[in-house]
Amino acid sequence: MESMSRDEARQVIVNAHLGTTAFDASDVLRKERVIQLDGLSRVEKSHRLTCAARLGAMEPIAEVDRLLWSDGQAVSFETYTHAACLFPIDDWPLLDLARQKARARKDAPSPGAMDAVLEVVADCPNGATRRQLETSTDRSEGWGWSDRKRAAEHLVWRGELICSTRRSGRRVYDLPQRRLPESILRQKPTQDEILERLVHAALAVLGVVTADDIAHHYNLDLESVLRGIELTKAVPVQVEGWDTRAYALPDADTTKRSHAPRLIGPFDNLLRNRARALRVFDFDYTFEAYKPARSRVYGPYAMVVLDQNRFIGRVDAQRIGKDLSFLEIFPEPIEDPGKVTDAAKSAGETLATQLGGALEFSVSVSERAISGLTDAATGRMSD
């Protein structure tokens, strides 16, 4: 078993995500393999922020959707792991185990409801949006799904429908045989082949992982993950301070690379597994958008400041028109507020350029953060 310091493990992990600048958004998807989707856009949609963090400063976010979805033959597809996610089309065969589980669910919609949805989709040569599927008396409202919407989503989970394009921002449901190339449809990997490839992909994307990390990433059960680890050439790793065995690929990038400061969104693969972020970065993150305003500590959409291989603070950020506005900066208690402010400003200017605007930066560092820094320096960490 190899051993790593916590700093070395963080370096491998950040290198896995940010070691090379992606050519474009489709390159980001090929490298990340999973991009979580979320509809909130106080700063920008989550998939665009994930791409922005991995693209050059002059790459406009406006181009992201055009490259991630296709009106013709699919280049990607949407489905659920533990959340709505986007996958590269080559990984369609690897989601077969998840589709088998979906077909076995006891809470599935009625066969009649699913047949009705399939009939409507089949009659729409370019696929159907939710509005085309629903009837005048059966429509979704907010979090409440109509029977047709629920049936359509279940068919996506089962692989009987595919979402590989969007129309005016809305998901389009279509038949897989219309969108998938024959080379993909023909693939029928065995369970072991699927587990080996999924675990290898998670190791490549995440750098250093525990079995639980892999399970969370692809929504697999632990037994399946352990079987996948057995099938790969994963190297067991003992990371300083981690109480669970970790794994890495033999060729994991351990180079001490220099990474420019950047802003990481709440659903980025570096952050979306909150337990992993706490273990790797000593960073306790709670998404506060759905909390009452009076209960928020860092704001409704706090982005994280990544500097080199460490999370050093947060920014309460908001997009106003094309410009990016910082409302407040929160350094981590042990960090120098000046350093965090400079890093946040540099990262914010990059993101603002990608958004097509400018950074509005007239905010001071949080007084709470300064108080925490003072207490940390005297050995009395504040509550």
Side-chain angles (χ1 to χ4, degrees):
M1 183 183 297
E2 295 191 7
S3 61
M4 285 186 184
S5 69
R6 300 187 75 169
D7 187 67
E8 288 170 334
R10 281 195 299 270
Q11 188 69 53
V12 171
I13 290 164
V14 173
N15 286 350
H17 292 282
L18 308 174
T20 57
T21 300
F23 298 118
D24 56 28
S26 60
D27 191 31
V28 174
L29 181 59
R30 282 191 296 270
K31 291 178 177 179
E32 290 292 312
R33 305 288 288 269
V34 180
I35 294 180
Q36 185 167 330
L37 304 171
D38 187 83
L40 293 181
S41 56
R42 181 178 171 86
V43 175
E44 184 51 281
K45 297 289 182 68
S46 64
H47 65 280
R48 296 172 192 154
L49 292 176
T50 293
C51 290
R54 291 155 178 80
L55 294 171
M58 302 311 295
E59 294 295 327
I61 288 179
E63 294 294 307
V64 165
D65 288 17
R66 181 180 64 81
L67 294 167
L68 291 184
W69 284 274
S70 170
D71 285 335
Q73 190 172 93
V75 297
S76 66
F77 65 98
E78 299 179 36
T79 191
Y80 284 77
T81 53
H82 67 281
C85 293
L86 188 69
F87 295 80
I89 200 61
D90 287 345
D91 284 357
W92 174 269
L94 302 187
L95 272 292
D96 191 52
L97 297 182
R99 291 191 280 268
Q100 290 176 29
K101 288 182 181 179
R103 288 192 285 272
R105 286 179 60 153
K106 298 186 183 301
D107 63 345
S110 68
M114 290 191 285
D115 287 345
V117 167
L118 287 171
E119 183 177 348
V120 173
V121 172
D123 287 342
C124 295
N126 297 314
T129 64
R130 172 177 58 81
R131 290 185 177 182
Q132 291 173 283
L133 293 176
E134 292 178 330
T135 66
S136 59
T137 58
D138 181 33
R139 291 199 175 278
S140 301
E141 293 185 11
W143 295 102
W145 286 3
S146 68
D147 289 342
R148 289 281 184 95
K149 165 71 171 175
R150 183 167 170 267
E153 291 300 316
H154 192 80
L155 288 164
V156 169
W157 303 343
R158 292 161 64 113
E160 294 176 47
L161 289 179
I162 186 172
C163 290
S164 61
T165 191
R166 292 194 169 218
R167 195 173 296 152
S168 299
R170 299 184 181 94
R171 301 177 78 187
V172 175
Y173 302 89
D174 209 344
L175 303 176
Q177 56 268 33
R178 287 177 180 165
R179 298 283 181 170
L180 291 172
E182 184 62 29
S183 59
I184 297 291
L185 287 169
R186 282 200 307 266
Q187 291 185 39
K188 303 295 180 185
T190 66
Q191 178 169 314
D192 273 0
E193 288 171 338
I194 290 172
L195 294 177
E196 181 180 6
R197 290 168 65 184
L198 285 178
V199 169
H200 187 277
L203 287 161
V205 168
L206 301 177
V208 181
V209 296
T210 66
D212 284 339
D213 292 340
I214 300 173
H216 180 279
H217 193 65
Y218 279 119
N219 198 26
L220 295 169
D221 61 78
L222 198 55
E223 182 180 352
S224 295
V225 170
L226 294 174
R227 175 57 179 163
I229 290 172
E230 181 183 346
L231 293 166
T232 67
K233 296 180 180 179
V235 177
V237 178
Q238 183 60 57
V239 180
E240 173 194 9
W242 293 20
D243 59 7
T244 305
R245 176 179 292 189
Y247 302 88
L249 291 176
D251 58 352
D253 184 1
T254 59
T255 308
K256 189 72 173 178
R257 295 180 181 274
S258 178
H259 298 288
R262 62 198 74 199
L263 294 176
I264 302 299
F267 305 108
D268 191 287
N269 282 332
L270 279 164
L271 185 60
R272 73 186 186 114
N273 183 342
R274 312 300 189 211
R276 174 174 165 84
L278 182 60
R279 181 183 352 107
V280 172
F281 297 101
D282 293 320
F283 195 82
D284 191 3
Y285 183 91
T286 299
F287 188 55
E288 300 183 308
Y290 301 110
K291 284 187 174 185
R294 64 182 180 277
S295 301
R296 293 171 183 154
V297 178
Y298 302 107
Y301 205 92
M303 297 192 71
V304 176
V305 182
L306 174 70
D307 185 38
Q308 300 303 330
N309 65 0
R310 297 172 58 229
F311 288 164
I312 62 172
R314 318 163 206 237
V315 176
D316 181 10
Q318 182 177 6
R319 185 177 181 178
I320 302 174
K322 290 186 176 182
D323 295 332
L324 180 65
S325 178
F326 283 177
L327 306 181
E328 198 165 5
I329 296 174
F330 304 89
E332 285 295 277
I334 62 170
E335 300 293 342
D336 176 2
K339 176 183 177 182
V340 176
T341 299
D342 288 345
K345 184 176 181 180
S346 172
E349 287 172 343
T350 296
L351 179 56
T353 299
Q354 293 170 314
L355 291 168
L359 176 65
E360 294 183 1
F361 190 88
S362 59
V363 65
S364 60
V365 176
S366 166
E367 291 297 325
R368 288 181 300 233
I370 294 174
S371 174
L373 180 68
T374 301
D375 288 343
T378 60
R380 296 179 291 103
M381 292 294 288
S382 66
D383 292 336

